[in-house]
Amino acid sequence: MTAENAKRQRPHRLRRLELSFVRSPIYFVTICTDRRRSILATATIHESFVRFAKEGPAHGAWIGAYVLMPDHLHGFVAYDDEKISLAVSRRNL
């Protein structure tokens, strides 16, 4: 393989895990607003998110470190699979 061909090829990415051997893994999630509208970077939204995160453990969800940007959110999330599914928790956001 020539150096020019190596530059054109994409780097290999890791495959998605088919199985998880951890009972309650921690997920890194990114959530974007509809049409990437800049509506999240306000004190009111931040206060609502913090309140939502504090109520999470009572429902089987824990939110760790997060970054709230104008049009998206990055955060670490763990949940108790006996109390909640990831699909249900996404609906609540």
Side-chain angles (χ1 to χ4, degrees), residues 31-42:
I31 301 167
C32 298
T33 60
D34 183 44
R35 289 173 282 187
R36 301 293 298 250
R37 291 181 295 162
S38 297
I39 58 174
L40 299 178
T42 68

Side-chain angles (χ1 to χ4, degrees), residues 40-52:
L40 299 178
T42 68
T44 304
I45 296 292
H46 185 246
E47 290 167 8
S48 295
F49 179 75
V50 169
R51 190 169 47 255
F52 173 80

Side-chain angles (χ1 to χ4, degrees), residues 2 6 18-19 21 24-25 27 30 33 42 48 50-52 57 63 70-71 75-76 78-80 85 91-93:
T2 66
E18 299 298 326
L19 296 173
F21 297 100
S24 295
Y27 296 94
T30 299
T33 60
T42 68
S48 295
V50 169
R51 190 169 47 255
F52 173 80
I63 298 174
D71 64 349
F76 291 95
Y79 69 97
D80 184 344
S85 72
R91 257 194 329 248
N92 291 328
L93 296 174

